[in-house]
Amino acid sequence: MRQKKNLQKVTCMGLLIMLVGIVAASSTAAALDQTTLEITAVKGGVGKVSVTVKNIGTETAEEITMIISVKGGILGRVNLTKICSGCGNCTNSILPNATKTESTAEAGKIIGFGPVVISASAEASNAAKVEKTYNGFVLGLFVIVTQ
């Protein structure tokens, strides 16, 4: 009988320690300051598309990943995707009210003819993913974003 009571005490104590650990872990995860990103501009150009992302939150957006995709054209010949998650030439964070612009130029030139779909997305380790899709037109090297 005495062993049974001791076992119950040990079990209750173990459950209590587990609950305290779970609460501490969840409060640590919640301590990561969240922010908000917004895609503010998508522009065409000569052989490229540029996307601008703004941090409209109050905290620095960390570990930014931006993806720009241009697909379509006659016979589906335009197919270019640029993924940027920081490199030696740029920063991987955006301060509050600051912007970051990336273009497809590093991934190659856009050459073709016809309508295209331009997809842009951005996310950070402390911000939700935002996505926008635009229509455009490619005329040789010229990329026109028509919204």
Side-chain angles (χ1 to χ4, degrees), residues 18-114:
M18 284 176 43
L19 285 174
V20 168
I22 290 170
V23 169
S26 66
S27 67
T28 302
L32 183 62
D33 295 325
Q34 295 295 304
T35 194
T36 305
L37 299 176
E38 178 180 52
I39 297 171
T40 57
V42 174
K43 296 179 181 177
V46 179
K48 69 178 184 176
V49 171
S50 299
V51 174
T52 301
V53 173
K54 183 175 184 178
N55 180 354
I56 60 173
T58 58
E59 301 297 328
T60 300
E62 302 289 347
E63 300 175 25
I64 304 289
T65 299
M66 294 174 63
I67 301 173
I68 308 167
S69 174
V70 183
K71 295 184 180 189
I74 300 292
L75 302 175
R77 294 265 168 137
V78 177
N79 186 5
L80 185 67
T81 300
K82 164 76 185 297
I83 301 172
C84 178
S85 56
C87 62
N89 298 329
C90 62
T91 181
N92 200 17
S93 61
I94 305 175
L95 296 172
N97 293 318
T99 61
K100 178 177 179 163
T101 302
E102 285 295 329
S103 81
T104 59
E106 292 175 4
K109 289 220 179 272
I110 299 171
I111 301 173
F113 180 78

Side-chain angles (χ1 to χ4, degrees), residues 117-130:
V117 175
I118 302 161
S119 301
S121 69
E123 65 182 315
S125 61
N126 59 336
K129 184 175 187 177
V130 292

